[in-house]
Amino acid sequence: MKLNSSSAVPTPLPPRNVPAQARSRTRLLRVLDAADELLAETGAGGFTTTRIAQAAGLPIGSVYRFFPDKEAIAQALAVRYWSDFEDLVAGVAEADSHERLDDPTGEVLRTLAAGFRSRPGFLALWFGGLRSERIRDATRPARQAIAGSIERILAGRWPDAPPELRSRAAAMVVLAGDGLLREAFRRDPDGDPGLLAEARLMLDAYIAAALEDGSR
């Protein structure tokens, strides 16, 4: 599955020169799409500004017009990947609000795992040595939004739990889930199925302990 490029520009945007004209914005998206495809094909080792420019069919100067270095390109990609994941989990929360899911934790994990699998560029970026503190900080708002969607699911099942407990539980689920998903995909490029199953049990047990005690 190709990275979603229908949205104009990732936010927050790291490029030094945010384009105002449609033609320049199209070029920016060409750079990001080419970078995504390059990551998927060659991994982090082949991720250079020169090769990105070649893949985009643009002069290297056009790349540097938008991005000062390859980390800035990786940051813009990471924001776009996590924005996609934010939308996926929001979709699970929306579905749950209409018809209660039997296994919401499992559904969130399955949805994110499927999103990871369909974005090999993300796997190469997140697990291939390109992830930095700057990139983690840039993607934090998306992970916070994912926590908000999880909190929405929790509110439907534990309406009597204090809101601060639900908020804290959702944040912990995202923190723990991120680590568990990373380990699952470190072990197996498709996500280790045994670890993903154990992750669901672990997160469900934590949620029940945290919110059932808080509802009494």
Side-chain angles (χ1 to χ4, degrees), residues 50-127:
T50 299
R51 295 191 70 177
I52 292 167
Q54 291 172 345
L58 295 171
I60 188 67
S62 293
V63 175
Y64 284 127
R65 176 185 173 190
F66 302 124
F67 299 98
D69 51 40
K70 71 176 185 180
E71 185 182 7
I73 300 173
Q75 179 178 330
L77 279 179
V79 169
R80 198 156 71 163
Y81 291 130
W82 278 101
S83 294
D84 284 349
F85 300 149
E86 174 188 339
D87 290 343
L88 290 174
V89 178
V92 175
E94 181 67 18
D96 186 69
S97 70
H98 292 292
E99 184 175 349
R100 193 65 58 86
L101 299 172
D102 294 332
D103 179 19
T105 304
E107 187 61 28
V108 169
L109 286 172
R110 285 189 291 272
T111 297
L112 284 174
F116 285 16
R117 291 187 200 102
S118 66
R119 292 164 176 80
F122 167 75
L123 295 177
L125 188 159
W126 211 245
F127 308 125

Side-chain angles (χ1 to χ4, degrees), residues 136 170-180 182:
R136 283 188 61 82
M172 290 298 296
V173 166
V174 171
L175 286 172
D178 183 39
L180 292 165
R182 279 191 283 117

Side-chain angles (χ1 to χ4, degrees), residues 29 33 36 44 56 83 85 158 164-165 170 180 210 214:
L29 292 175
D33 288 342
D36 171 54
S83 294
F85 300 149
W158 285 276
E164 61 271 18
L165 281 186
L180 292 165

Side-chain angles (χ1 to χ4, degrees), residues 116-196:
F116 285 16
R117 291 187 200 102
S118 66
R119 292 164 176 80
F122 167 75
L123 295 177
L125 188 159
W126 211 245
F127 308 125
L130 290 173
R131 185 169 56 111
S132 64
E133 284 304 310
R134 189 173 103 183
I135 288 174
R136 283 188 61 82
D137 287 344
T139 58
R140 199 176 305 278
R143 294 198 299 279
Q144 290 171 341
I146 289 172
S149 292
I150 293 172
E151 185 177 356
R152 182 180 172 190
I153 294 171
L154 298 180
R157 286 163 174 75
W158 285 276
D160 297 328
E164 61 271 18
L165 281 186
R166 292 197 301 263
S167 178
R168 184 171 65 189
M172 290 298 296
V173 166
V174 171
L175 286 172
D178 183 39
L180 292 165
L181 282 165
R182 279 191 283 117
E183 180 61 18
F185 279 88
R186 185 191 69 79
R187 293 185 183 185
D188 184 334
D190 288 327
D192 183 88
L195 197 153
L196 290 173

